[in-house]
Structures are given as C-alpha cells and as structure tokens.
Amino acid sequence: GPAMTAYILVSIFAAPALTRMGIGLAQAHFFAMFLSVFSFVTPPVAVGALIACSISNSSYFKTAMEAVKASFAAFLLPFMFIYVPITLLQPQETFSAIAGITACIAVLFSFQFFFVGFVFTRCSWLERLLWFTSALLFFLYILTQRFTLFAIGMSLFIFLFFGQWKNRKSD
C-alpha cells in the first residue's frame, strides 16, 4: 500500500545516510519506517486524516491536529530507537536500559496527559504545562543520558500523578 511505498522511498535515502552517521542498520530502518508509515496519518501528507474528515463531515484542520496528538508517539519513537537501543532488543548496559525504558514510557504518558488534559480528573493549565515539562525532561534525558534530568522528570511525574490520584478520590 501507500505506507510501504513511502517506507521504500524514505529508506532508500535515509537509511544509508543514518548508517554512515554510525547508527545501526536495524535502528536506521526502524527510524525510516516509523516516520514514513505515520506520514499517512499526520500532516503534511495525512491521507488518513483526509479520509476520516470526509467520512465524519468534519474540518480537515481539526482532524489533522487530533491525528498529530494521537500519533505524537510516532514522532518520538524513532529517536528512542536510536538513543535507547534496548527498545529494539539491542545490547545496552543494564542501568541505562532500565532508566531508558522507564523514560520512554514516561515521556509518552506525559505528552499524552499534556495533549489530552485529563489523567484521573481534568488537568488545569498549570498541570498541563507541568506535564509538558516532565515530558521534555524525560526526552532530554533520552538524548543526553544525564540522570539529573531523569530524576527531576520522574519527581515531577510522580507529584502530578499522585496529585491527580488524590483529586480523583475526593470527587
């Protein structure tokens, strides 16, 4: 289908360039695959969003924006494949692998909580901003491997999560 065609075109150009930059072959191809496959759903191609908005008689722009929110993980995962090799079952030091997987999961949840604005109850704008900050700290940890970023991001994540949990109990 169209997704496979996009992958073939992207992999012809991107995978060799990524491998010349020192990235493993599997990681380079997964990077190319995720970016090309999700182009079907998200702008600027967004054929899936175009089909969805025509079926539901909704605005293309609003549908495409919701598609970006729903598919945001697809933009982060290719970088996780490169910087956290254990995600593709590549060898990695044990502590780095555990912290990396934890950061990968936490960054995905944090970004989704930020986009959706709801965990156990509706989030205030301050909470949403703090979820975004937590996600950014986790993503920066993934890129730099500086444990301080992970610790601050995890502290913020736990604080926000249990604050939402407490608010759920009182409702």
Side-chain angles (χ1 to χ4, degrees), residues 30 38 45 67 88 103 118 155:
F30 271 102
F38 276 91
V45 178
L88 293 178
F118 191 90
S155 300

Side-chain angles (χ1 to χ4, degrees), residues 62-82:
K62 288 179 182 178
T63 304
M65 290 308 296
E66 290 302 317
V68 168
K69 289 179 189 178
S71 302
F72 193 74
F75 298 120
L76 298 178
L77 282 171
F79 295 98
M80 292 177 194
F81 294 152
I82 292 171

Side-chain angles (χ1 to χ4, degrees), residues 25-107:
L25 187 62
Q27 292 161 310
H29 277 278
F30 271 102
F31 189 93
M33 182 192 70
F34 265 75
L35 289 179
S36 60
V37 167
F38 276 91
S39 70
F40 185 75
V41 179
T42 59
V45 178
V47 175
L50 183 62
I51 294 168
C53 78
S54 67
I55 291 171
S56 65
N57 292 325
S58 65
S59 162
Y60 171 74
F61 183 75
K62 288 179 182 178
T63 304
M65 290 308 296
E66 290 302 317
V68 168
K69 289 179 189 178
S71 302
F72 193 74
F75 298 120
L76 298 178
L77 282 171
F79 295 98
M80 292 177 194
F81 294 152
I82 292 171
Y83 290 101
V84 185
I86 196 70
T87 56
L88 293 178
L89 302 178
Q90 304 283 324
Q92 190 175 359
E93 178 193 287
T94 305
F95 178 76
S96 294
I98 293 169
I101 290 291
T102 304
C104 288
I105 293 168
V107 73

Side-chain angles (χ1 to χ4, degrees), residues 3 8 14-15 26 29 32-33 37 45 62 68 72 102 108 119 129 135 143 148 150 160 162 169:
I8 290 170
H29 277 278
M33 182 192 70
V37 167
V45 178
K62 288 179 182 178
V68 168
F72 193 74
T102 304
L108 296 177
V119 182
L129 182 65
L143 298 179
T148 306
F150 178 84
L160 290 167
F162 284 111
K169 294 288 188 184

